[in-house]
Amino acid sequence: MLNSALFRSIFALLLLSLLSGCGSSDDNTSTGAANLVDNKTYRWKMVTTWPPGFPVLQEGAERFAKNVNAMSNGRLDIKVYAGGELIPPLQTFDAVSQGTVEMGHGSAYYWAGKVPEAQFFSTVPFGMTARGMNAWLYHGGGLELWREIYKPFHVVPFPLGNTGVQMGGWFNKEINSLDDLKGLKMRIPGLGGKVFAKAGGNPVLLAGSEVYTSLERNMIDATEWIGPFHDQRLGLYRAADHYYYPGWHEPGTVLELTINERAWLSLPADLQAIISNAAQAENLLMFSEMEQKNLSALHELQQRDNIQIHRFPDDVLKKLNSLTNETLREEAEKDPKFKRVFEAYQAFRHQNDEWSAISENAYLAIEKQ
Ligand code: CA
């Protein structure tokens, strides 16, 4: 048996070798193990998909960077660039993947052309809300699956923000039946757009900067954007009279932090822990800020006499839901990777629906005074 003095000196030597980074396993790019600590200053760049100064989303990405800087005592200094300041917004994923920049902030459905199954990690029509998405990602195997999906691109993802349930959008006429959607020109991107097309609508692809003018000049009949806060800020209440809910097409869009894998593995363990924890904190902050700003903006919109706020009729939602299932099944048949993520998502989602039915939904359904 070792005597305690000998044990202490062996332990001290071992610790020293770890601290100085001269242990035998410091090739952390192949093992994934990070150095325990170092005194290097890392200067990183983060690019985002948001316009400069975009409230909540760009601001949240900047707050995250500031917090990482403060917690690391300046050892990890992240400079944040809005969309277009360094690279075009939709090249964020590629820039992180190629290591042109170390970090990105956006949402996984922007890369649907390259990684179709990534859409399940942002949002899909009639999918889970923020509560279910967080449960799936953090504790239900979702994040592990997401990391596996991004691995071939050398990108490590983290959830970082959520828009909450979005609004259904602004329409220049009332929607009383599915027939009212027929031939309607609406700005509605992604899988929501595919479902809308199946319903007879005409989805139009428009950049955020063109949305207001197109609706105001009747080049489109309808548009979705985000929620009351951002919609009000864009002035959409001046361009259409009918504001519909709920946002069946985006029930809780997850925003993502992406990190170049090599850059991530080059960090010592404490800086990795700081990033993980700051990302979790910002995930909550951005979501709760969005909720607060939306409830306040909704109140302001309700005071405007020129707009009417309606719920989509039940049969319209029911039909859109069944067209969504059809769309997702079709996509899954075309693509085994999409199918795999779809099945994992659906399995969790069904259980989440059962639980929600007797917890949050049941509670919220009580008429309160
Ligand atoms: Ca939207």
Side-chain angles (χ1 to χ4, degrees), residues 109 163 166-167 187 189 224-227 249-250 253:
Y109 59 13
T163 66
Q166 299 199 3
M167 285 294 282
R187 183 262 181 194
E224 68 83 53
W225 183 233
I226 306 178
H249 61 298
E250 291 196 60
T253 307

Side-chain angles (χ1 to χ4, degrees), residues 205-351:
L205 205 64
L206 281 181
S209 55
E210 298 167 81
V211 168
Y212 175 80
T213 320
S214 306
L215 186 63
E216 204 252 332
R217 294 184 187 164
N218 295 319
M219 288 148 73
I220 52 174
D221 308 304
T223 187
E224 68 83 53
W225 183 233
I226 306 178
F229 171 70
H230 287 93
D231 290 15
Q232 186 184 41
R233 208 170 163 272
L234 202 58
L236 292 171
Y237 59 90
R238 291 196 298 262
D241 298 338
H242 302 279
Y243 194 23
Y244 274 89
Y245 66 90
W248 57 274
H249 61 298
E250 291 196 60
T253 307
V254 176
L255 310 169
E256 64 173 14
L257 167 71
T258 47
I259 305 183
N260 174 272
E261 189 183 36
R262 185 182 286 270
W264 169 250
L265 293 176
S266 76
L267 290 180
D270 65 332
L271 294 184
Q272 287 189 342
I274 286 172
I275 288 179
S276 298
N277 284 276
Q280 286 162 22
E282 189 52 50
N283 191 34
L284 173 66
L285 279 181
M286 226 185 261
F287 173 50
S288 47
E289 186 182 4
M290 195 69 110
E291 291 291 289
Q292 181 278 323
K293 285 196 156 64
N294 277 334
L295 64 89
S296 159
L298 173 65
H299 182 72
E300 288 167 26
L301 286 169
Q302 282 169 334
Q303 317 302 313
R304 295 186 183 277
D305 295 335
N306 66 319
I307 59 164
Q308 292 174 51
I309 304 176
H310 321 257
R311 185 175 188 270
F312 283 120
D314 276 336
D315 59 328
V316 170
L317 290 170
K318 220 166 152 181
K319 187 72 184 152
L320 289 169
N321 190 1
S322 89
L323 292 172
T324 295
N325 294 338
E326 201 180 299
T327 307
L328 292 174
R329 276 196 303 270
E330 281 168 12
E331 299 291 313
E333 272 163 33
K334 285 191 289 195
D335 180 347
K337 281 192 267 176
F338 189 98
K339 184 166 188 265
R340 188 175 160 230
V341 181
F342 174 47
E343 283 171 356
Y345 181 95
Q346 287 291 80
F348 191 88
R349 177 254 175 87
H350 282 139
Q351 291 191 1

